[in-house]
DNA sequence: TTGTAGGCGTTATCAC
DNA sequence: GTGATAACGCCTACAA
């Protein structure tokens, strides 16, 4: 802790360091970055000056000269549920390892998303975009700028990479499992038009039923939220031919359905089976515990991060499409044993 | 969609726009920013050139010239639990409204946190730092750089602003509530040394007991996690004079304790009361439902964002200390009725 | 081994 | 109204 005389209180520049060390700024730069030969004695003088002045190179100056931000972006709809938070975490970890900062952008309830994404694109070397945030045109826009993009939970757009989780096999296994328990009147809760994931789950669910000679009927459409799930279930339960099982597009919907069942005095799983998707924390705590499907959330983010890195560094140029495996988690709410 | 000839595929500059519009870069800048007089006809020519070339000003160039990043940072320990995610969300919202991007930095399991925070400081106009991430020295370091800092869930450091949530009154009310039910052997689960919040909660808890002539004993120390809570409770439950109530420093600990009780065949709340803190999603779903304390998480982030904005713009210079109110949420796990 | 000078893409201050 | 031109802070050929 020595007394210092920062030129302007804010921002010591490479020029000040150079003057203090009695060398040119080029030498300072070389000494600091090891990008060229520097005499040992000179290096020491520079390092001392750097220490004394507490010099920290300006990111802006560096980025401008190097023509790179050393930063990545990520666009997601929300951060409330555990789903996105986990993915972001996995992403941030990989990015940090690669020496890149992470800029986030939530699109929750925003109008000018396209503009915000464009703005973000101007601050990063590449970005990850979640399904259900911006439309294809906006994505193409970014790609046209030359900024690499990795899409998560979304079908391909242009040359962007994609990282998705497996839905079909698991949804089939889940449906088969319920059918094997003798359940016949199965209803899907969720809106296939809201996301690719929901669409694929519904599709596999419907196909599985058809294979067993059962009509899949129509999905009971609702958005991904507890309240929506509760409403949807509430409409279904008083029916004469009440469903024997509710296959929900995600855990939040399932939790809402569970509440609706409880409110209607219907015992789960005895008189009604309910399943979810994602294996969020509450799935383990709710009673009965929720049968669901686990997705490698953090890994999803990590993969996206690595894919993006390859795109940015140019290590790869053709688009990659990854599909991560998921796992059926049988618990109490589907009436097993 | 017209055919274009971007100079280098990436990055149209203001020079190209100027040439195309037949004016100087100064005029282009003025026309775009409205920072000076520009003839109507000239403005139109510029705008057309901008549109044709799809010109987007370089963030880097702008920031360098304006000497501002138009970006804020936030440092948090983790994003797994709902706590931090919510705060980050509230923060991002406010930042976005102010036209600032948000850079995140998770310190979870990292060694060189101080260095990473310094790096972050070089990319933003100000930052929010959570308790339990970096030490005071590092915070002072950032402040010395001239970068405004707002601390969340943490005692003041230097001139940094702070935003905290109320702990004492609520912890007192909670403890009194349990005592009013006739419970006497209360034990605190959590480690007061891990965070100011935990310390304040423990302190108020202990004081309340003392006021009733009861010895508070020692807190059963454990970190903020389900597993740690389970372990701590497990050690406590077999005791001869088994506790009648476990007051946990947060919901995750409480959930772990709940599991331990169930495993030990102890009925909650009949034979053991358990309370948490935070009111995370699972608190509503677990059985029995968890008595806890609700904190305005999103508001916490929003307040921090606004405080930071004032610091950055210079609208305020003296440090502010805010304490947000919390709310006791009585549910099933404490044996009311 | 070191220094000079040009470039990265803006903004803003002056003259004109 | 408009246009040079000097910052802004750094990197890096190219010379010396």
């Amino acid at each position: 802790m020595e007394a210092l005389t920062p030129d302007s209180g804010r921002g010591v520049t490479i020029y000040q360091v150079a003057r203090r060390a009695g060398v040119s700024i080029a030498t300072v730069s070389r000494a600091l970055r090891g990008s060229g030969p520097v005499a040992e004695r000179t290096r020491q003088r520079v390092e001392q000056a750097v220490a004394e002045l507490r010099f920290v190179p300006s990111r802006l100056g560096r980025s401008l000269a190097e023509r790179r931000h050393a930063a990545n972006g990520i666009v997601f709809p929300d951060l409330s549920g555990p789903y996105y938070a986990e993915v972001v975490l996995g992403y941030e970890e990989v990015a940090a390892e690669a020496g890149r900062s992470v800029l986030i952008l939530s699109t929750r309830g925003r109008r000018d998303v396209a503009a915000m994404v464009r703005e973000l694109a101007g601050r990063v070397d590449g970005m990850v975009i979640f399904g259900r945030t911006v439309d294809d045109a906006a994505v193409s826009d970014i790609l046209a700028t030359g900024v690499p993009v990795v899409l998560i939970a979304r079908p391909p757009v242009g040359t962007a990479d994609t990282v998705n989780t497996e839905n079909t096999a698991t949804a089939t296994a889940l449906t088969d499992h319920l059918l094997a328990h003798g359940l016949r009147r199965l209803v899907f809760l969720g809106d296939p038009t809201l996301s690719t994931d929901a669409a694929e789950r519904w599709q596999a669910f419907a196909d599985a039923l058809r294979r067993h000679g059962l009509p899949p009927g129509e999905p009971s459409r609702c958005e991904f939220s507890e309240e929506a799930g509760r409403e949807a279930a509430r409409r279904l339960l008083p029916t004469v031919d009440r469903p024997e099982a509710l296959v929900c597009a995600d855990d939040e919907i399932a939790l809402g359905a569970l509440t609706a069942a409880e409110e209607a005095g219907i015992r789960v799983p005895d008189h009604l089976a309910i399943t979810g998707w994602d294996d969020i924390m509450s799935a383990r705590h709710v009673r009965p515990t929720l049968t669901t499907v686990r997705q490698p959330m953090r890994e999803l983010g990590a993969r996206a991060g690595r894919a993006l890195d390859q795109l940015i560094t140019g290590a790869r140029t053709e688009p990659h499409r990854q599909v991560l495996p998921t796992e059926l988690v049988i618990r109490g709410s589907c009436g097993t044993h």
Side-chain angles (χ1 to χ4, degrees), chain A:
Chain A
M1 292 280 180
E2 325 186 10
L4 305 177
T5 48
D7 254 14
S8 61
R10 177 90 168 257
V12 179
T13 75
I14 198 172
Y15 284 93
Q16 300 171 33
V17 176
R19 197 179 320 139
R20 182 159 196 133
V23 297
S24 73
I25 62 166
T27 299
V28 174
S29 180
R30 274 189 298 254
L32 261 40
R33 324 204 55 240
S35 57
V38 176
E40 187 48 34
R41 279 194 48 200
T42 311
R43 150 166 289 116
Q44 293 186 357
R45 282 219 308 285
V46 169
E47 276 170 2
Q48 179 166 1
V50 165
E52 287 172 358
L53 295 173
R54 293 184 177 292
F55 170 67
V56 178
S58 153
R59 236 300 135 210
L60 253 23
R62 252 160 75 97
S63 288
L64 198 54
E66 291 177 343
R67 308 166 126 268
R68 74 184 274 262
H69 296 274
N72 290 171
I74 183 163
V75 184
F76 47 80
D78 203 340
L79 210 56
S80 290
Y83 178 85
Y84 297 109
E86 284 292 322
V87 178
V88 170
L89 215 50
Y91 180 62
E92 195 263 356
E93 187 155 359
V94 169
E97 274 168 19
R100 307 171 170 287
S101 292
V102 172
L103 303 199
I104 60 172
L105 174 59
S106 161
T107 60
R108 190 175 46 100
R110 289 198 174 137
R111 294 261 144 267
D112 48 352
V113 175
M116 302 193 78
V117 173
R118 240 196 321 275
E119 154 77 17
L120 178 62
R123 297 172 170 271
V124 300
D125 301 317
M127 59 199 285
V128 163
I129 299 178
F130 263 96
R132 296 199 282 150
T133 51
V134 300
D135 55 27
D136 286 8
V139 174
S140 299
D141 237 49
I142 303 303
L143 286 170
T145 310
V147 174
V149 173
V150 174
L151 264 18
I152 292 186
R154 176 172 182 154
V157 177
T159 61
D161 271 15
T162 59
V163 185
N164 287 287
T165 51
E166 202 288 324
N167 284 308
T168 307
T170 323
T172 303
L174 175 61
T175 310
D176 285 347
H177 180 83
L178 294 172
L179 290 170
H181 281 315
L183 303 175
R184 286 298 171 267
R185 293 194 300 279
L186 316 193
V187 175
F188 185 89
L189 255 69
D191 192 339
T193 67
L194 283 186
S195 79
T196 320
D197 283 332
E200 290 180 354
R201 290 166 199 171
W202 154 249
Q203 192 61 51
F205 165 83
D207 287 347
L209 286 188
R210 286 196 202 94
R211 266 199 303 279
H212 285 259
L214 299 169
E218 276 296 303
S220 183
R221 298 178 195 280
C222 64
E223 59 175 20
F224 294 94
S225 81
E226 230 181 302
E227 195 42 39
R230 184 165 155 223
E231 284 299 333
R234 191 182 279 163
R235 283 195 301 272
L236 246 35
L237 297 183
T239 318
V240 181
D241 279 341
R242 197 213 299 152
E244 293 169 317
L246 301 179
V247 173
C248 305
D250 85 345
D251 284 350
E252 301 203 43
I253 294 176
L255 289 171
L258 231 27
T259 302
E262 187 171 14
E263 289 168 349
I266 300 173
R267 293 174 50 165
V268 177
D270 305 342
H271 302 318
L272 176 68
I274 294 181
T275 69
W277 208 285
D278 285 352
D279 192 20
I280 67 178
M281 191 179 190
S282 288
R284 295 191 334 259
H285 293 299
V286 74
R287 286 302 128 87
T289 51
L290 191 61
T291 287
T292 184
V293 175
R294 185 177 298 145
Q295 306 196 62
M297 260 103 77
R298 202 164 298 205
E299 180 68 12
L300 200 56
R303 295 280 191 118
R306 288 193 211 102
L308 189 55
D309 208 58
Q310 299 175 334
L311 255 25
I312 292 172
T313 61
R316 176 167 53 75
T317 51
E318 320 90 77
H320 253 207
R321 317 272 178 229
Q322 300 183 61
V323 178
L324 273 48
T326 55
E327 178 193 359
L328 187 56
V329 181
I330 303 291
R331 292 211 184 89
S333 68
C334 68
T336 315
H337 295 310

